[in-house]
Amino acid sequence: MASKTGSYGQGMFGHDDLGSAYAALAELDEVALLLGALTVEGWQGAAASAADQARIAHVGAVRRVREDVRVLTLLLQRREDLRNLLGAA
Amino acid sequence: MTSSWYWVRDATTAADPESIARAATRYSMAHDSVRSAMTTLWSTDSRLGINLVVPLLHPVAAPQYMAELADLAVQIGLVLERIYEDLTILARGLQEHAAHLGMTALIYSSAEADVTAHIAMCRTLASVGCFAGSSGFTSATLLSSLPRYVSGMSGSQAGDSEQDPFTDPRLANFSGVEAQQQIGAITAGAGDGITDGAGVSALSARLSSLWRTLGFPPWARTSGVVVSGAGGVLWGGLNQSDHGSRIRRVNLQPRKLEHSHSSFPSRGAPAPLPVRWAGDAHPAQKAAAAIMHSEPRGILPVFAKGPKRLGFDGIGTPRTAGQLLARISHSSASGSAGQVQVLRHRSSVSGLRSWSVVISGTKKWVPRTLNPQDMGSNFQELAGEISDQHVSVRLAMELAGIQPDEPVEFVGHSQGGAVALSLAADPEVVAEYSVVSVLTAGAPTGPVMPGKVPVLALENLADIVPALDGRAALVGEHQQVVYFDAGGLGPQKAAGAHSSETYVEAANKLGSQSREDPALRSYREWEENRAKALRLGGDTKTKTLFFTTTRVSGSIGDATVGAVGLPGSAGVGTFEKAMLASRH
């Protein structure tokens, strides 16, 4: 809450934001890996194909979100760069 | 995002519950990771506003930087909003899929009758949040819950005996699943140290014994049932001796039955009961007179109006499971009488006939009523006994004139499904009729399963009734169970977990999807084989016969025997006396 004072502390310049976005990206990579490695071995016949379709749909959803988070990191990085320029001014 | 809302269990299904449970666990972990990512990003979002303000406070900020920073702020805000929305949907989808997989694993696990593995799986899945209803699989859990179910089933609430407790929204979904697991667990002997299939069977028998204890004394010993329709009246009941047919019947309307076909060809048509109609009649005659002169709800058959009004009702031929189940809602009942529908299918070209016997569920949620579709019959069925409703249906089949070489199917909802299966598994019925198919919906199917008759059993996962037998439905080369999640039909259907309408809608949806989903191939084949076995073609016309059923009040040895002039030999029950009289 120190930020409300207008401090120029490092956290105020978005280092933590970028770190958080990368952390989220890593978590989503983990989810994609987890779901990608899932198999339906030992499960044949009924519902097996439906389960696999659901898995593929979930993996697709994870990838879409991951792409958005990657865009977020680029935006945050640009903001970081601008702030560095401001800091140098 | 879609996930499966149904599962088929049949002889060709190969499932490894452990593998499915592992998948459920991983989905649960994936869900946790997504939630964690959301929390992480939330910290970004919460700082966003502050980080926008801070540069504005810079004393020498260049205008072009400020403009780009403002634009970035907007873009970041939009991206974050989209990410949150997608992550929320993703987290929900992963959680639901984990729960679905967990439930699937439990179903297959319970079907394997490996109690130790089943209980371990329940606990594992509960620990990762895949199944919330498995907090305590002990005898104490069920016993503490039992009064709630029993009081609900017995309709102990004043004036509430017509209410089907299993369609009560308060018992829907979670409660239903919870109850299934509790009842299944106690039957499986969790806490009794019995860990093999034989133990499961033994404990299932104990549960049946519980139902019998609850249901039999002192009202089980009735004097049979009277069934009327299609121009005849039959009084039937269980034979008290071990000789001959287990079900004996007496013709209360011989003049009409002369034109009826008997489905007991080896024994001939039942002989008339030599009694008079009016006055101090025998309870069976009173019951017959009552249903002959009453028209409850306007649809029960009144053959007294003449041979042209035999309760026939022309309808569309039911060609799918959904259409067949929809016939159940056409049955009616009153406090003193139940109803059985028999659909007669006839080819207008060949004249060949086939039949569908439609058996609806419990109508009276107390035992000891005049309507055989009551809790008394439920207890009898769950105890593995021949129920009064079982007898009623057999009499209705005889009155309908079903011939031994004419294909016949049974379809039933709830109690009706249990009766349908017990009929198809009854050696006498199989010997006397050409039973070609069975369809059950929301029925406890565990105690019996016919060996060679194709069976399709539909069970809503949120419906506790199929679990009341305390064991998984048997499946084999000719039998399959299709479990479904009524949540896949919408929230309203999920609430009516046990209602026949829910099953009709599920069957219609399954039938539609079976045309393109390989997982439902056996479902599609059942429908095709049924239509073929019943010889249903484009030239088939269908009519409905309605039969009224009622229990005969009074007990064996009733004093009214003398009033109807039956021989009163000591030590022989009323029904046996009537049978003796009918032979003379």
Side-chain angles (χ1 to χ4, degrees), chain B residues 54-68:
Chain B
V54 169
L56 298 177
L57 300 176
H58 194 281
V60 291
Q64 68 270 28
Y65 292 160
M66 299 308 297
E68 187 173 353

Side-chain angles (χ1 to χ4, degrees), chain B residues 42-61:
Chain B
W42 175 254
S43 65
T44 302
D45 194 20
S46 64
R47 283 197 302 267
L48 199 58
I50 297 165
N51 285 327
L52 283 171
V53 171
V54 169
L56 298 177
L57 300 176
H58 194 281
V60 291

Side-chain angles (χ1 to χ4, degrees), chain A residues 12 17 27 41-42 78 83, chain B residues 14 16 19 36 47 51 68:
Chain A
M12 299 304 98
D17 290 351
E27 301 218 57
E41 63 184 33
R78 177 59 184 159
R83 285 174 173 167
Chain B
D16 176 3
S19 171
S36 174
R47 283 197 302 267
N51 285 327
E68 187 173 353

Side-chain angles (χ1 to χ4, degrees), chain A residues 3 8 12 16-17 20 27 31 34 38 41-44 46-47 54-55 58 61 65 68 75 78-79 83 86, chain B residues 1 8 14-16 19 26-27 33 36 40 43-44 47-48 50-51 57-58 68 82 86-87 93 97 519:
Chain A
S3 59
Y8 282 84
M12 299 304 98
D16 288 354
D17 290 351
S20 296
E27 301 218 57
V31 172
L34 196 63
L38 267 180
E41 63 184 33
W43 193 9
Q44 301 157 7
R55 182 185 64 83
H58 280 118
V65 179
D68 280 341
L75 294 172
R78 177 59 184 159
R79 190 179 68 174
R83 285 174 173 167
L86 276 173
Chain B
M1 193 79 59
V8 180
D16 176 3
S19 171
R26 286 173 186 163
Y27 268 97
S33 293
S36 174
T40 303
S43 65
T44 302
R47 283 197 302 267
L48 199 58
I50 297 165
N51 285 327
L57 300 176
H58 194 281
E68 187 173 353
R82 190 164 67 237
D86 289 346
L87 284 177
H97 199 59

Side-chain angles (χ1 to χ4, degrees), chain B residues 240-322:
Chain B
Q240 301 301 314
S241 73
D242 294 331
H243 307 296
S245 170
R246 283 183 295 162
I247 296 177
R248 308 307 298 266
R249 71 266 191 253
V250 176
N251 178 9
L252 296 180
Q253 184 74 342
R255 188 166 48 81
K256 295 289 183 185
L257 203 66
E258 287 171 4
H259 305 291
S260 171
H261 301 287
S262 169
S263 65
F264 297 119
S266 61
R267 301 176 188 85
L273 181 66
V275 293
R276 64 177 185 272
W277 282 108
D280 296 328
H282 182 270
Q285 290 176 307
K286 289 180 180 176
I291 58 177
M292 285 165 58
H293 294 97
S294 67
E295 292 183 83
R297 303 189 187 183
I299 66 166
L300 295 179
V302 186
F303 66 86
K305 288 184 177 178
K308 291 182 181 178
R309 288 287 307 275
L310 298 182
F312 278 104
D313 169 29
I315 60 166
T317 302
R319 299 178 188 279
T320 66

Side-chain angles (χ1 to χ4, degrees), chain B residues 495-570:
Chain B
H498 185 57
S499 75
S500 62
E501 288 77 12
T502 296
Y503 281 93
V504 170
E505 189 160 332
N508 286 333
K509 191 169 180 180
L510 288 166
S512 174
Q513 291 193 208
S514 70
R515 287 192 280 274
E516 52 192 38
D517 186 345
L520 287 171
R521 181 173 55 86
S522 57
Y523 185 98
R524 186 177 67 250
E525 287 175 351
W526 181 90
E527 284 196 330
E528 291 170 353
N529 292 337
R530 167 193 171 263
K532 189 176 177 183
L534 289 173
R535 304 184 293 221
L536 302 180
D539 61 327
T540 303
K541 304 294 182 191
T542 297
K543 288 188 175 181
T544 307
L545 274 166
F546 292 102
F547 294 91
T548 309
T549 64
T550 189
R551 274 207 187 88
V552 178
S553 60
S555 61
I556 294 199
D558 194 292
T560 56
V561 169
V564 296
L566 297 176
S569 55

Side-chain angles (χ1 to χ4, degrees), chain B residues 52-218:
Chain B
L52 283 171
V53 171
V54 169
L56 298 177
L57 300 176
H58 194 281
V60 291
Q64 68 270 28
Y65 292 160
M66 299 308 297
E68 187 173 353
L69 276 171
D71 183 53
L72 275 173
V74 172
Q75 289 186 54
I76 289 169
L78 290 173
V79 170
L80 273 172
E81 190 178 358
R82 190 164 67 237
I83 289 171
Y84 279 138
E85 193 174 318
D86 289 346
L87 284 177
T88 302
I89 294 170
L90 179 62
R92 189 166 57 234
L94 290 169
Q95 190 175 33
E96 287 177 356
H97 199 59
H100 281 225
L101 287 173
M103 186 57 68
T104 306
L106 288 174
I107 289 168
Y108 287 128
S109 167
S110 64
E112 289 182 352
D114 183 341
V115 176
T116 303
H118 180 62
I119 299 302
M121 180 175 293
C122 290
R123 288 179 175 148
T124 300
L125 290 171
S127 69
V128 295
C130 290
F131 178 62
S134 54
S135 54
F137 290 92
T138 63
S139 301
T141 303
L142 177 70
L143 293 176
S144 63
S145 305
L146 198 57
R148 179 158 61 98
Y149 304 127
V150 173
S151 65
M153 286 186 292
S154 65
S156 60
Q157 303 90 335
D160 197 27
S161 63
E162 299 285 353
Q163 172 66 37
D164 178 351
F166 301 118
T167 57
D168 186 335
R170 290 170 298 180
L171 280 177
N173 287 333
F174 174 75
S175 297
V177 174
E178 182 185 30
Q180 285 208 33
Q181 293 304 319
Q182 288 175 353
I183 292 173
I186 186 64
T187 304
D192 294 273
I194 294 176
T195 58
D196 57 18
V200 171
S201 297
L203 282 158
S204 294
R206 278 172 49 184
L207 188 64
S208 293
S209 175
L210 170 64
W211 295 125
R212 189 163 52 238
T213 304
L214 288 168
F216 264 56

